Amino acid sequence: MSRVLVLGWGNPSRGDDALGPELVRRLEALATDRPGWRGHGFLTDFQLQPEHALDLEERDLLLFADAAVSASVPYSFSRLQAERDGTFTSHAMSPSAVLAVYRQVFGREPPDAYLLAIRGEAFELGAPMSAAAKRRLEAALALAVELLDAPDVVHRLVGPTRVA
Amino acid sequence: MSSLENATNPETLRRVVIEPVTRVEGHGKVTLLLDEDDHVQQARFHIVEFRGFEKFVQGRPYWEVPVMVQRLCGICPVSHHLAGGKAVDMLAGATELTPTADKMRRLLHFGQVLQSHALHFFHLSSPDLLFGFDAEVAKRNIFAVIEAFPDVARKGVLLRKYGQEVIRVTAGKRVHGTLVVPGGVNKHLCTEERDYLLQDIEQTVAWSREAVDLACRLYLAGGARHREFGSFCSPVLSLVRQDGAMELYHGRLRAKDEDGAAIFDQVDYARYWDYLREVVKPWSYMKFPFIRSRGTEHGWYRVGPLARLANCDFIPTPLAEAQRQAFLAHDGGSARHSTLAGHWARMIELLHAAEAIRELLADPDLLAGELVVKGERQYRGVGVIEAPRGTLIHHYRINDDDQVVRCNLIVSTTHNNQAMNEAVRQVARQHLDGRKITEPLLNYIEVAIRAFDPCLSCATHALGKMPLEVELLDAAGDHVDRLVRDSDGAVRAT
């Protein structure tokens, strides 16, 4: 079976920013009872950085998970392409940019990659995750479980926004 | 939950494209003020500072501080962990740590400095130096570096990775790990962990030497243009060791003036407020620290790699010290005041960090020894370290119930507030032609800001993608021109 890496990022102490890491934490907990998930990997971080490209090695499929502030839907699931981005600080990279670093460093195409973007609204330091974000997390979690159960048919999951 | 294929009415679902996942909480903003002769009189660089942290930490037991403060910043959680931890040592009455605790913390800190400096230089600033400020936008990023200089870029990624591995092994986890506890640390290194880090240390030192050579070569290739770009003379501030050596983890405060004369030296940072004060300005959320004896107008200063190199008497590792001497010998020491020479200084510190990690890994105190000391509880705790971007101060007061009642942080970006404003002003003076903001000017301002790599606001990870706005006001305060660089790199006039 395909080996999936789930990489969720965000600050766990900034309200809905915790959506990405929390999704990963929940999946990791489920993995203990799912022998079929043994080949999958789970990773969280505050933000994406260039060296995350090295974590993508020896994976067949990548699932990036993050909170989305600009989303008008509960969550979305879409395919990612390797793509450059530009910024004037060192403080963040997009998942597409991490894929681009992978391609450049290893000289080959990165594994297939997907973004699970879960809508969040409240990002204050010290705030708990909002009730609405928790509901969206549950729905997004179901999709992620579906993916980890059958990563070879991930294409079925891509497309229109799902309603949580 | 069903897949799309199984959706009951797939044709009724909306296809939605979500824009880059980002929290638009603000933007970097530069306001340039013209005088009546249309000369740039003032540059104001507006940055959002830590807000809400005091509330976040208030009422929490003090021993939670080293863990809580890691949530402040996704780029430098280790720096906050260590500075907060040192303040908590003081609260716990632990005046002198065991050799094992001291060295484990230093190992963690040098791992952080190594990874942070590698990130800054290879991924953020090297395109400016490799391709020049006038290069097209598409070239001024790490991807262009990877294409044109794949070996440089690969080593940059791997150097940063090594620093991250030092952090993971020392703090137990890659992210949100903890090493510091009140009065010490919670673990040793085991032999396997030490041997794992030893595997790549020689390569890391070698690549760090190459990084210094590269930064030096690139800086010197720019001649006077690099030397003068956004440059200014100012006092410098940093910790130093008792013998005057560069000290990144634990030392005493020293400040020197523009000519290198001491303003104060060997000051106990536990009473930093006797020497450093902060002033609020109505146009900025961020405070402006100043050296008390010099007053608000002339007391601002620079912190960070450039300041540390200028401030110390020597670097206590041989390869980095040789590079420091070459740095100071060049052109009569002009690099000390050159904003872009900060990249060269940063790589010298990278080499120092690599050498220091090598020394520490050979030290048996990492593998065995007492971890924690205890003392008499205090009501006030101050912790100071030299974080990658400069001096970092954590200051807490607690009550009889061990709860934090007050905290004050002065982060590197705050120390450098006026210095960054000065660099931006110099650039604007040199490159603002007339009353219109051009794309090259916008880029020049970015180059100057990148040299400091300010924490624009810690802790929300996508803030680094915020847009940068440059606004021009005339002497009456009326709007003249405005240009915005969006997070995707596109430039638009508004």
Side-chain angles (χ1 to χ4, degrees):
Chain A
M1 191 165 85
S2 296
R3 296 157 302 171
V4 182
L5 174 70
V6 187
L7 204 174
W9 73 103
N11 186 336
S13 291
R14 276 208 174 242
D16 297 350
D17 206 24
L19 278 164
E22 184 60 15
L23 181 98
V24 172
R25 192 190 68 75
R26 295 281 299 275
L27 290 171
E28 253 185 314
L30 291 173
T32 55
D33 298 326
R34 284 177 152 77
W37 287 16
R38 280 200 189 119
H40 302 332
F42 304 92
L43 188 62
T44 66
D45 213 325
F46 272 84
Q47 51 231 121
L48 295 179
Q49 293 291 314
E51 75 277 5
H52 284 122
L54 305 179
D55 295 310
L56 314 186
E57 264 288 79
E58 299 178 353
R59 296 288 169 186
D60 303 305
L61 195 130
L62 311 169
L63 176 62
F64 291 90
D66 188 20
V69 75
S70 59
S72 59
V73 292
Y75 70 93
S76 75
F77 183 71
S78 57
R79 185 154 188 188
L80 289 166
Q81 302 294 332
E83 200 175 339
R84 304 168 173 190
D85 63 5
T87 175
F88 62 97
T89 86
S90 66
H91 279 48
M93 289 184 90
S94 69
S96 292
V98 174
L99 298 178
V101 171
Y102 179 97
R103 186 166 61 193
Q104 302 283 9
V105 169
F106 294 106
R108 58 178 180 272
E109 286 302 308
D112 285 348
Y114 296 84
L115 174 65
L116 183 53
I118 311 164
R119 192 171 92 206
E121 289 114 346
F123 297 91
E124 284 303 305
L125 185 62
M129 192 186 292
S130 67
K134 284 180 182 169
R135 285 196 298 276
R136 293 177 206 126
L137 174 66
E138 294 304 321
L141 187 70
L143 181 142
V145 168
E146 205 174 332
L147 185 152
L148 294 181
D149 281 341
D152 296 337
V153 288
V154 61
H155 60 277
R156 293 180 186 176
L157 306 173
V158 180
T161 301
R162 309 174 128 226
V163 178
Chain B
M1 176 62 58
S2 61
S3 69
L4 171 63
E5 197 169 83
N6 299 325
T8 313
N9 298 302
E11 68 283 359
T12 63
L13 299 176
R14 271 190 311 140
R15 182 172 292 275
V16 176
V17 177
I18 294 182
E19 293 304 309
V21 182
T22 181
R23 295 97 186 79
V24 186
E25 289 195 2
H27 52 260
K29 183 177 177 183
V30 173
T31 309
L32 305 174
L33 302 176
L34 298 175
D35 61 17
E36 289 175 353
D37 298 321
D38 286 347
H39 294 132
V40 176
Q41 191 58 36
Q42 191 171 46
R44 289 177 169 175
F45 180 35
H46 310 247
I47 309 172
V48 178
E49 201 183 14
F50 294 121
R51 284 181 294 169
F53 179 70
E54 288 80 358
K55 193 177 161 197
F56 181 50
V57 79
Q58 229 167 35
R60 305 300 296 237
Y62 74 83
W63 51 82
E64 288 185 1
V65 162
V67 173
M68 291 190 75
V69 293
Q70 292 188 84
R71 304 295 174 91
L72 278 170
C73 178
I75 289 292
C76 44
V78 171
S79 299
H80 288 297
H81 182 56
L82 287 165
K86 286 179 71 179
V88 166
D89 290 341
M90 196 170 155
L91 291 169
T95 52
E96 192 167 345
L97 301 189
T98 66
T100 296
D102 180 76
K103 288 169 187 173
M104 283 293 290
R105 288 186 184 189
R106 286 176 185 274
L107 182 61
L108 177 65
H109 190 36
F110 283 121
Q112 163 77 354
V113 172
L114 185 79
Q115 66 88 9
S116 177
H117 280 1
L119 173 72
H120 186 128
F121 180 70
F122 288 101
H123 299 286
L124 187 68
S125 298
S126 66
D128 293 333
L129 300 177
L130 285 166
F131 302 116
F133 315 153
D134 300 316
E136 56 186 294
V137 172
K139 267 205 157 185
R140 294 194 307 255
N141 56 50
I142 182 60
F143 306 105
V145 175
I146 291 169
E147 275 176 9
F149 307 94
D151 192 46
V152 169
R154 183 172 159 273
K155 287 172 183 172
V157 170
L158 294 175
L159 271 173
R160 179 165 157 88
K161 181 72 178 176
Y162 184 79
Q164 294 284 38
E165 283 300 281
V166 172
I167 292 169
R168 183 184 66 77
V169 168
T170 312
K173 282 164 67 179
R174 178 164 161 178
V175 183
H176 312 152
T178 55
L179 173 72
V180 176
V181 295
V185 297
N186 58 14
K187 68 170 288 209
H188 300 102
L189 280 195
C190 68
T191 312
E192 291 75 22
E193 289 170 332
R194 183 204 55 192
D195 292 347
Y196 169 70
L197 293 178
L198 279 171
Q199 282 174 19
D200 291 327
I201 187 59
E202 292 304 332
Q203 183 69 83
T204 299
V205 171
W207 284 350
S208 299
R209 295 180 78 170
E210 289 179 24
V212 178
D213 290 342
L214 176 64
C216 169
R217 205 167 65 241
L218 292 175
Y219 171 75
L220 295 181
R225 189 171 191 228
H226 280 179
R227 186 174 64 245
E228 291 162 12
F229 184 86
S231 294
F232 52 85
C233 293
S234 75
V236 291
L237 173 84
S238 71
L239 293 176
V240 292
R241 213 163 67 180
Q242 254 178 335
D243 59 1
M246 175 182 278
E247 174 58 68
L248 301 182
Y249 172 67
H250 186 66
R252 289 174 163 262
L253 288 169
R254 170 188 280 181
K256 285 184 180 175
D257 69 13
E258 299 84 339
D259 302 317
I263 301 173
F264 55 76
D265 197 3
Q266 297 300 327
V267 163
D268 180 359
Y269 64 66
R271 292 194 60 82
Y272 69 90
W273 57 86
D274 287 340
Y275 299 86
L276 302 174
R277 287 293 171 100
E278 298 171 276
V279 65
V280 175
K281 299 192 179 182
W283 55 270
S284 177
Y285 284 119
M286 190 151 69
K287 292 175 187 169
F288 287 78
F290 61 96
I291 294 168
R292 192 176 178 183
S293 63
R294 289 174 60 111
T296 52
E297 191 161 341
H298 303 291
W300 60 275
Y301 51 88
R302 188 200 290 265
V303 299
L306 204 55
R308 291 191 285 249
L309 249 68
N311 215 15
C312 72
D313 298 332
F314 65 98
I315 298 178
T317 53
L319 297 174
E321 170 57 11
Q323 293 295 337
R324 188 192 73 95
Q325 289 182 15
F327 177 92
L328 293 178
H330 169 71
D331 188 31
S334 65
R336 284 188 309 137
H337 303 297
S338 170
T339 292
L340 288 182
H343 300 310
W344 182 5
R346 188 170 289 110
M347 290 304 94
I348 293 173
E349 287 194 342
L350 176 98
L351 176 58
H352 170 49
E355 286 184 282
I357 290 169
R358 182 167 63 181
E359 281 181 13
L360 283 165
L361 290 176
D363 195 317
D365 284 340
L366 291 179
L367 304 178
E370 290 295 316
L371 297 178
V372 176
V373 293
K374 294 190 184 303
E376 191 177 332
R377 184 186 164 289
Q378 307 290 313
Y379 286 97
R380 189 185 72 227
V382 179
V384 180
I385 64 164
E386 285 296 323
R389 291 169 183 77
T391 311
L392 172 63
I393 299 175
H394 277 230
H395 180 182
Y396 303 91
R397 284 194 74 86
I398 59 173
N399 61 18
D400 288 330
D401 297 324
D402 292 339
Q403 294 169 326
V404 175
V405 293
R406 181 180 176 273
C407 98
N408 185 39
L409 306 186
I410 309 179
V411 303
S412 315
T413 297
T414 307
H415 289 292
N416 271 333
N417 194 356
Q418 187 61 39
M420 286 187 293
N421 275 277
E422 192 61 28
V424 169
R425 181 160 65 128
Q426 293 296 344
V427 168
R429 277 180 169 165
Q430 289 161 3
H431 299 285
L432 181 67
D433 184 16
R435 292 165 64 87
K436 188 164 181 57
I437 303 168
T438 60
E439 199 278 338
L441 173 64
L442 181 64
N443 183 50
Y444 293 164
I445 288 172
E446 289 180 0
V447 171
I449 294 171
R450 270 196 285 271
F452 293 89
D453 193 18
C455 273
L456 292 157
S457 175
C458 287
T460 40
H461 63 262
L463 275 172
K465 291 176 67 60
M466 72 172 93
L468 179 67
E469 169 191 328
V470 179
E471 189 178 34
L472 194 61
L473 305 177
D474 64 17
D478 294 327
H479 170 91
V480 176
D481 197 17
R482 184 168 174 264
L483 210 59
V484 177
R485 164 111 53 216
D486 283 326
S487 54
D488 62 0
V491 175
R492 58 189 166 89
T494 60

